[in-house]
């Protein structure tokens, strides 16, 4: 009986030691990051992390939520293309992709499954910034590094990689203020409800409009960053609330312009994303009144998120919050072959290079991949 008790104590002590060693609790250190031009800190007070080094190759998963639009599909394809590059592939034992739709519990469940399966890092495009508290805690306790991008997580216990989404909304708002000088009626085509990107961009637009001193009448519709959904929502809005003096769209902008053409709505100033088709329209119809600001970040930001996860696993210093540059082109500077590509699909998002991170994809490299889970 004494022998059994001693054995139980030893086993329990070993379990506690094993659990403690698994915790991915980074050391907070001074910057700069290992690759300061790539891993730029979000702000002057952003903390820098140094995780315990793990030996590779690594098992990394991408837990995506919403998939039913061009940006997300291209993002999945870009992630696979990046993981397949020789210099990256040699560092990966496994790269797994799962998309769970707009169901937040399903995305959390997918992350839990990756934790339980022993993955080293999980990259996530989160459906909700605040709903992941328990799974963030589980990942930390299990020694799994979480890197959120695009739609980020409201936590200091994960790494966030993103552009200034609110700043992007402010950019579009300023474009409308400067090009609709007397104020007026604006159509705002929003993204996916509940996501941090949609909320931040919306808030940025409205802070600028509200602070301009001009009178604005804003009609909001949901386009889900998708051409088909945005086109129908725009057509309905034109029929019931139009005409508009200006438009801003978070995505699905090719569909928005097509709805204007179909309804014979006059071309008006437009602040939108970086779809190839949208930029084609902006270049073709600038002289007709379609004065565009096209800005955002291509789906290649997922590659920066994966690169960040690998750097953290290798024990390199990384910021807790990484800030990516925006890709911006505005009227009258749309150049074929540089800012848009006449021979490529309208659905293709441009702005897919991050030279400071050594990331630059061709359309063929991305479009040769599938969107399916793997």
């Amino acid at each position: 009986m004494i022998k059994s008790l001693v054995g139980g104590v030893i086993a329990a002590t070993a379990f506690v030691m094993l659990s403690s060693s698994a915790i991915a609790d980074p050391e907070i250190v001074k910057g700069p990051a290992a690759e300061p031009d790539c891993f730029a800190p979000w702000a002057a007070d952003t903390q820098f992390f140094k995780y315990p080094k793990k030996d590779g190759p690594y098992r990394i998963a991408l837990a995506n939520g919403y998939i039913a639009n061009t940006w997300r599909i291209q993002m999945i394809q870009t992630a696979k293309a990046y993981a397949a590059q020789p210099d990256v592939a040699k560092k990966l034992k496994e790269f797994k992709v799962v998309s769970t739709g707009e169901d937040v519990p399903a995305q959390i469940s997918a992350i839990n499954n990756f934790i339980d399966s022993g993955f080293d890092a999980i990259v996530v495009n989160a459906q909700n910034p605040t709903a992941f508290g328990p799974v963030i805690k589980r990942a930390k306790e299990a020694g799994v590094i979480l890197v959120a991008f695009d739609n980020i997580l409201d936590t200091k216990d994960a790494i966030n990689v993103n552009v200034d989404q609110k700043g992007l909304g402010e950019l579009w708002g300023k474009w409308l203020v400067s090009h609709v000088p007397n104020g007026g009626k604006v159509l705002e085509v929003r993204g996916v409800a509940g996501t941090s990107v949609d909320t931040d961009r919306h808030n940025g637009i409205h802070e600028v409009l509200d602070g301009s001193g001009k009178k604005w009448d804003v009609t909001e519709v949901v386009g889900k960053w998708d051409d088909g959904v945005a086109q129908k929502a725009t057509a309905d809005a034109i029929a019931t609330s139009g005409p508009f003096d200006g438009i801003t769209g978070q995505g699905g902008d090719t569909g928005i312009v097509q709805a204007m053409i179909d309804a014979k709505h006059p071309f008006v100033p437009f602040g939108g994303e970086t779809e190839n088709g949208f930029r084609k329209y902006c270049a073709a119809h600038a002289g007709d009144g379609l004065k565009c600001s096209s800005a955002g970040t291509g789906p290649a930001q997922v590659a920066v998120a994966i690169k960040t996860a690998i750097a953290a696993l290798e024990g390199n210093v990384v910021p807790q919050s990484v800030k990516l540059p925006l890709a911006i082109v505005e009227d009258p500077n749309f150049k074929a072959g540089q800012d848009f590509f006449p021979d490529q699909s309208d659905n293709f998002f441009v702005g897919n290079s991050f030279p400071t991170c050594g990331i630059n994809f061709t359309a063929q490299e991305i479009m040769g991949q599938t969107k399916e889970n793997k």
Side-chain angles (χ1 to χ4, degrees):
M1 182 173 179
I2 293 174
K3 183 177 180 181
S4 175
L5 179 61
V6 172
V9 171
I10 292 172
T13 302
F15 177 77
V16 170
M17 291 175 64
L18 181 63
S19 299
S20 299
S21 65
I23 295 176
D25 199 1
E27 181 185 359
I28 297 174
V29 298
K30 290 185 178 180
E35 296 184 43
D37 290 339
C38 177
F39 305 130
W42 189 267
D45 61 350
T46 297
Q47 293 181 328
F48 288 84
F49 287 171
K50 183 176 175 62
Y51 287 86
K53 182 179 179 180
K54 279 191 176 183
D55 293 329
Y58 306 112
R59 300 175 69 210
I60 296 180
L62 169 58
N64 180 49
Y66 187 70
I67 187 64
N69 66 25
T70 302
W71 196 98
R72 291 295 181 103
I73 292 169
Q74 189 176 324
M75 181 270 290
I76 295 293
Q77 293 172 311
T78 305
K80 292 180 180 179
Y82 184 68
Q85 291 183 341
D87 288 346
V88 179
K90 68 183 181 182
K91 297 183 179 184
L92 299 177
K93 181 178 181 180
E94 181 180 3
F95 182 64
K96 186 83 172 176
V97 176
V98 169
S99 295
T100 53
E102 295 183 66
D103 187 342
V104 173
Q107 190 177 28
I108 292 172
S109 177
I111 296 172
N112 274 318
N113 287 340
F114 287 134
I115 294 170
D116 293 338
S117 298
F119 277 76
D120 298 302
I122 302 169
V123 178
V124 58
N125 194 329
Q127 281 302 113
N128 183 294
T130 61
F132 288 75
V135 78
I136 293 169
K137 184 174 183 291
R138 280 204 70 218
K140 184 176 180 179
E141 290 173 348
V144 179
I145 294 174
L146 277 183
V147 180
F149 71 100
D150 188 36
N151 290 288
I152 56 174
L153 295 168
D154 187 11
T155 180
K156 297 294 184 182
D157 287 326
I159 301 169
N160 286 319
V161 175
N162 205 2
V163 300
D164 184 356
Q165 302 288 359
K166 184 179 179 184
L168 181 55
E170 291 171 351
L171 178 79
W172 293 333
K174 290 174 183 176
W175 186 257
L176 293 179
V177 168
S178 64
H179 287 78
V180 187
N182 299 317
K185 295 177 67 175
V186 170
L187 174 64
E188 179 190 1
V189 183
R190 299 188 60 170
V192 175
T195 59
S196 63
V197 168
D198 174 72
T199 300
D200 290 346
R201 292 178 175 185
H202 169 78
N203 289 342
I205 293 166
H206 282 265
E207 282 190 15
V208 170
L209 295 183
D210 294 345
S212 68
K214 302 175 183 180
K215 185 175 181 180
W216 302 96
D217 178 7
V218 181
T219 297
E220 295 180 25
V221 297
V222 175
K224 293 191 173 183
W225 306 316
D226 176 76
D227 280 336
V229 177
Q231 182 172 340
K232 184 180 185 307
T234 300
D236 292 344
I238 291 172
T240 57
S241 304
F244 299 100
D245 301 302
I247 293 176
T248 182
Q250 294 192 22
D253 300 324
T254 309
I256 295 171
V257 178
Q258 187 59 55
M260 295 169 66
I261 294 171
D262 292 344
K264 296 181 172 53
H265 188 287
F267 287 119
V268 295
F270 194 141
E273 250 280 359
T274 63
E275 300 103 316
N276 194 44
F278 174 56
R279 288 187 171 185
K280 289 181 189 178
Y281 276 136
C282 293
H285 295 288
D288 305 320
L290 187 63
K291 303 295 186 182
C292 300
S293 173
S294 173
T297 180
Q301 63 175 281
V302 69
V304 182
I306 298 169
K307 181 180 175 75
T308 305
I310 293 172
L313 288 167
E314 291 177 333
N316 294 312
V317 175
V318 295
Q320 185 272 322
S321 188
V322 178
K323 188 173 186 178
L324 299 177
L326 288 170
I328 305 171
V329 182
E330 296 181 331
D331 181 80
N333 297 316
F334 291 92
K335 296 181 176 62
Q338 174 181 305
D339 305 307
F340 66 96
F341 301 90
D343 297 332
Q344 293 294 337
S345 166
D346 287 351
N347 294 331
F348 186 76
F349 278 78
V350 292
N352 273 304
S353 66
F354 293 98
T356 56
C357 294
I359 292 171
N360 187 26
F361 295 97
T362 66
Q364 292 79 9
E365 198 175 359
I366 294 172
M367 304 310 278
Q369 303 290 331
T370 65
K371 69 176 182 179
E372 281 72 29
N373 292 341
K374 76 164 194 175

